[in-house]
Amino acid sequence: MIRLGIVGAGSMGGHQARQFSTVPGCELVAVCDLDAARARDFAAEHGISEVYTDLAQMLAQANLDAVTIVTPDSYHKDAALQAIAAGKHILCEKPLATSEADATEMAAAAQAAGVINMINLSYRDSAALQRARELISDGLIGRVMHVEASYLQSWLSSNAWGDWRTDPRWLWRLSSEHGSKGVLGDVGIHILDFASFPVGEISAVNCKLKCFDKADGDRIGDFPLDVNDSALIRVEFANGALGTVHTTRWACGHDNSLRLRIFGDTGAITIDINMDEGWEKLQLCEGSNVNRARFEAVDCAASPSIYQRFIRSIERGHNDQPDFARGAELQRVLDTCFESDREDRTLIV
Ligand SMILES: NC(=O)c1ccc[n+]([C@@H]2O[C@H](COP(=O)([O-])OP(=O)(O)OC[C@H]3O[C@@H](n4cnc5c(N)ncnc54)[C@H](O)[C@@H]3O)[C@@H](O)[C@H]2O)c1
């Protein structure tokens, strides 16, 4: 039985605890959160026996095989380096860090220590995405020419997920002082991975970011509201394809929607994910349907979740994807997007 400890008892921590509870061969035995009451409540809710407020103490006392890091982004590096130094396998939330230099340091440390390391790019769990990658590599849609990808949320304009003005769970995501890199760092990383996993490496970007006014003095309490909440990226892929990738927190009508359209010279693939729907279905246009401009639905066999694949990686001693090196690669794309926005020009990644 693989003994797991979780760092961060917030919303995503709860999701992870529920997911790991369905994976055979592992047991969540310890939780660590700076907020002692939250850690205790979390332990009670998920049947976890050991509760900590200090990661070093958890690593020293809990007899763990692996750690999953689910804190706000700015603490991922420190937590991961401590866990790696203690020889633990690690699943780390996205983004891996808040800069390419930090992400690269984490990837190198994990590799040197020989621990299993994965980054939680959750949308890799989509069977449709996995199938799209296979279809493209089999040449079914020919040479990829054009890509359109978006990740839309609306929590700044709706209250479906609570009131961002009063809830620290949302406020830290709006504040650079709290380690946020805005919508680009938060979910832009998902859509950049979602587009480049099937299509191929991103070689150049031209990015425009915008932080809209949303409170008096652009501040609420301890939280300066200074990070981007919309991002537009013009992308060039190493294989020559062009694309647009965009994301925003202001998309009324979309709680959590990812869309990917990939156009090749002999066909096209579309994936639409809306919350829990669409993960296992893609639309394909190929063969005689090209001349009719018609898509047909393809049901894709479910693929294992990242939680299953993390545990299986530990059991087999073989690191599955996406690993920390992939996290660092994406961080490089993000850093280049920020620089491109600052300099208002296209930059090579
Ligand atoms: N993969 C995904 O699809 C996905 C979805 C949501 C969030 N996330 C990621 O998960 C992470 C957490 O997000 P969330 O929504 O759960 O945030 P949250 O604010 O709901 O929870 C974060 C928790 O971490 C705790 N914490 C803060 N600093 C800590 C520290 N130094 N040590 C221990 N605990 C600490 C906080 O007290 C809080 O309980 C973020 O990196 C976010 O990007 C990923």
Side-chain angles (χ1 to χ4, degrees):
M1 194 56 97
I2 290 160
R3 290 170 57 86
L4 263 176
I6 189 164
V7 194
S11 330
M12 192 59 189
H15 176 76
Q16 286 210 11
R18 288 186 291 280
Q19 292 293 318
F20 276 119
S21 74
T22 68
V23 179
C26 72
E27 189 184 6
L28 204 46
V29 295
V31 57
C32 172
D33 197 291
L34 290 182
D35 183 328
R38 190 174 299 167
R40 271 197 307 275
D41 290 350
F42 189 93
E45 184 181 348
H46 299 287
I48 296 170
S49 49
E50 300 183 43
V51 179
Y52 299 89
T53 52
D54 177 55
L55 175 59
Q57 203 181 1
M58 180 169 99
L59 292 170
Q61 293 179 3
N63 188 24
L64 301 172
D65 300 298
V67 166
T68 178
I69 298 165
V70 204
T71 62
D73 312 349
S74 56
Y75 188 59
H76 293 176
K77 178 189 173 190
D78 184 39
L81 293 181
Q82 283 191 59
I84 291 166
K88 310 302 175 195
H89 305 295
I90 307 187
L91 176 66
C92 183
E93 266 308 337
K94 59 78 210 165
L96 195 56
T98 52
S99 70
E100 186 204 353
D102 285 356
T104 303
E105 189 183 334
M106 292 161 72
Q111 197 182 9
V115 295
I116 299 296
N117 54 93
M118 292 179 73
I119 169 173
N120 196 10
L121 296 167
S122 337
Y123 296 95
R124 289 283 187 103
D125 292 4
S126 161
L129 182 71
Q130 298 291 339
R131 189 81 187 108
R133 180 174 156 104
E134 286 167 10
L135 294 175
I136 290 169
S137 96
D138 290 349
L140 199 73
I141 64 164
R143 179 157 65 115
V144 176
M145 322 291 265
H146 193 91
V147 177
E148 184 191 311
S150 63
Y151 192 141
L152 306 177
Q153 295 187 326
S154 58
W155 56 266
L156 283 173
S157 38
S158 89
N159 64 5
W161 292 353
D163 182 3
W164 63 265
R165 293 170 191 80
T166 54
D167 189 339
R169 285 184 312 149
W170 301 114
L171 285 166
W172 72 256
R173 287 178 160 83
L174 300 173
S175 164
S176 62
E177 238 176 61
H178 294 77
S180 175
K181 292 289 179 100
V183 71
L184 179 62
D186 188 17
V187 300
I189 184 170
H190 277 310
I191 196 66
L192 287 165
D193 183 66
F194 205 73
S196 58
F197 177 63
V199 172
E201 200 184 318
I202 291 171
S203 56
V205 292
N206 187 310
C207 178
K208 174 73 186 162
L209 302 173
K210 182 147 184 169
C211 173
F212 291 88
D213 294 342
K214 39 193 173 290
D216 284 349
D218 297 323
R219 169 179 283 273
I220 293 183
D222 291 338
F223 298 89
L225 310 180
D226 59 349
V227 296
N228 62 88
D229 30 43
S230 281
L232 305 180
I233 314 166
R234 198 180 75 196
V235 166
E236 290 171 45
F237 293 87
N239 58 17
L242 295 182
T244 58
V245 177
H246 67 100
T247 181
T248 182
R249 293 164 166 167
W250 293 104
C252 290
H254 293 270
D255 276 349
N256 197 64
S257 305
L258 285 84
R259 181 162 84 164
L260 178 61
R261 291 174 164 205
I262 306 170
F263 302 99
D265 56 358
T266 63
I269 292 172
T270 300
I271 301 174
D272 268 292
I273 292 181
N274 268 304
M275 294 299 284
D276 296 334
E277 288 171 14
W279 291 63
E280 289 166 11
K281 184 168 281 186
L282 59 78
Q283 302 288 328
L284 176 64
C285 169
E286 56 99 24
S288 56
N289 275 339
V290 170
N291 288 335
R292 292 188 218 133
R294 188 195 293 166
F295 282 82
E296 282 178 18
V298 177
D299 287 317
C300 311
S303 45
S305 72
I306 193 144
Y307 309 103
Q308 292 168 314
R309 291 188 288 111
F310 178 60
I311 296 303
R312 196 172 61 189
S313 292
I314 297 171
E315 288 167 344
R316 296 183 181 172
H318 176 75
N319 213 124
D320 205 338
Q321 285 291 328
D323 61 6
F324 277 21
R326 173 62 178 166
E329 218 171 87
L330 287 164
Q331 207 84 40
R332 180 180 176 81
V333 179
L334 293 178
D335 283 9
T336 312
C337 285
F338 284 108
E339 200 181 333
S340 160
D341 174 61
R342 272 192 307 273
E343 296 187 7
D344 193 16
R345 64 188 179 101
T346 301
L347 292 176
I348 303 297
V349 174

